[in-house]
Amino acid sequence: MDYAVHSEDSPPLPQDEIVYLQRLVATRWVAGALLVLATFFSVRFLGLLLPEFELYVLAVIILLYNLALAAIVARVRRQSLHISGLSKRLLEFQILLDLLSLLVFVHFTGGLTSPGLALLFLHAIIVTILVGGIAPYMYILVSLISVVLIGLFESEGFLAHFIVIPYVSADLHQNGLFLLIQVGFLAMGMLAAAAITSSIMGPLRQRERQLSALFQITESVSESLEVDTVLGRLAEEMSAALRPQAVTVHLLQLDGHTLTRRATVGYGFPEHADIDNRNTNLYNKAMAGQIVSVSGAEARRDAAFAGLGMELQHIILVPMINDRTLGICSVYFSIRPDNVAALEGFLKAIARVGANAIERAMVHAALQRAEQQRTQFVHIVTHELRSPVTGAQSLLRVLTGDLLGTLSEQQRDILSRLSRRMDALLVLINDLLALAAARARDFQQPLQTLVLQDTVEVVINEYCYQAQEKSIELLTELDADGIKALVTEDGWQRIVSNLVGNAIKYTSEGGIVKVKLSADHEHISLLVVDTGIGIPADNIEKLGTDFYRADNARSSGILGTGLGLATVKQFVNTFQGQMVVNSVVGEGTTFTISIPRSE
Amino acid sequence: MAKILVVDDDPDIALATKVALESAGHEVVEARSSREGLDKVKQENPDLIVLDVMMDSATAGFQTALALRSQDPNSEFAAHRETPIVMLTSIHETTKMRFGPDEDYLPVDAFVDKPIDPAKFIGLVNELLTKQNV
């Protein structure tokens, strides 16, 4: 019994069954049509003495039951009925019907003198292709017996005999020797056809099942990015495909020679047995990249397998290789497999898939770890940076608030400068933290569906005072009431706040800042328009780069860190939105942010 | 004129807070850790407590506030359950911190951002004290 995925007796895969049935039905249409045409042609043009009427009736019957079968197959396909054995029964039923039709055809075209006997060879081949195992031979037996019976009955006169080919002796069909020869050749021919076909079909079916199993395994292990899940699934799928005694998966540790068992299917393994591949010949060979196949006795001598509590006949060690050997899959058999070479080939393919999936999972894990470390670092650093600044600032304010005595003008001036520097430092630290948080996935809030207008209204309120101080007219046109988008509260608030803050900051006294919120079928758009200093055209594409400030902004004396727009850009990206900047130096700027609606 | 307990591990913030409160005429007692703070609450029986959110750990302040506000009738802080608490934070953006496994509400009376603005801070403290006395 081959160990490559089930035995030949088990049913083909459901998709295959449907395809076979459909092909049979299709072939039968052709057969029925051919029968009609051939009969017509033979009688009219070749002058053969065929029982026309009966043959046409046979053709009609064939076409009718094909119609019925076609309907059944279509129904099975549409409803995806996988009632175990249903397709097999349907197949057997069709084979019998076809055999019957063939026998009737043979009878009407001369019985054992019929040239149509050759069709039985064809049918034998078809049956062997469709059905595996011993069934084709049963079929051959049945058809031979039937043919013999037809021959005998015609010979004895119980059945009519039709002389089809003219000039053939009228009582040939009663010639015992002739009958014997015909049946003899028929038997040999059918048996040979079945044997040859089956020797081809065997490996073919095996390959099909291997491919299907490989596909299944690939899908299963590729679904997960967790190393342990991938390993577990790999072991399970291999076990399901090969039906061995057991499967284990070992991964190589960082020291380069210890193999740790990470997944097991089956029993009889000691707990947590690490293997040092320097001590064991077989594992050493496998880690070098070779697939290693040993019989039970030889395996039991190797240190790695000593003490395994099961009766082993055969073990195969398959290295999982990407650009290096990641580990080993071991498959343990209690019955020696037949075609070890083919099995090894199959296992190599599985190991390749496994190695890929494991590598992917490992990379993913490393990436997550790195990101986590980075965000932790940033968080700690910025907190550590803030604390001295807030401490110093608090003390400065105590002094400048005259709480410890009135200060002289100069003292107050210097302390105020110190205070301003501290403020600027704090703003920079906060901006950095915000930007880092925007970029670090771990820091993010989950996306939620929010009404965007609400936040805009809050931010406008917050900036009213600042705008008033500079006599800037803060206008609003908010037409997106109740409209939602998939964003984070913090991120959206930062976008609006940064843009409105910038607009006010870079617009001089008496200017105008307008905030417009509107929506169409697909997007919500936020426009922040100002009559400020504007942005030079060639600076626009660099906006949003860390620490970048436009030339005129830098020389304006207005304080800025160059991180605000970078933060805005980061959040806009996260929300799958777009940012567009339009500006004329000296006249003003418009920032347009559009974000997809969520309903 | 009230007795106020300031719990903060940063000596500069503690000093700034102390000067501000004393200039408003209050008596100030200090503690440098949450443990010391909880002890001093029992010893000194303050009228208001100023707590820093981050001391020995990221959530030391909240843990201390939770202990003080414990609803358990046998809690050692039962007598101080109603004492107003002002929390000093350096997180001025909206990132919410999880400060306890089951708490959805903040058991403090006010949050103040660092750096301290003395005038605003004094105003807030006085307001809380006045509310308490009513």
Side-chain angles (χ1 to χ4, degrees), chain A residues 29 40 63 68 145 152 165 174 203 219 243 261 274 301 305 336 387 420 447 465 487 504 529 542:
Chain A
W29 289 129
F40 183 78
L63 289 170
I145 292 174
L152 282 175
I165 304 176
Q174 287 167 327
E219 263 204 292
R243 303 275 172 85
R261 195 173 75 225
D274 281 358
R301 261 182 266 131
F305 301 107
R336 197 173 190 291
S387 193
R420 262 202 309 272
L447 291 171
Y465 183 62
V487 295
I504 295 177
V529 189
K542 292 188 228 151

Side-chain angles (χ1 to χ4, degrees), chain A residues 463 493-503 563-565 567-568:
Chain A
Y463 278 103
Q493 190 268 341
R494 252 183 228 291
I495 290 175
V496 183
S497 187
N498 261 306
L499 292 178
V500 175
N502 276 354
L563 291 176
L565 281 181
T567 310
V568 168

Side-chain angles (χ1 to χ4, degrees), chain B residues 16-27:
Chain B
T17 328
K18 182 164 182 229
V19 170
L21 290 170
E22 280 177 349
S23 82
H26 299 298
E27 182 193 338

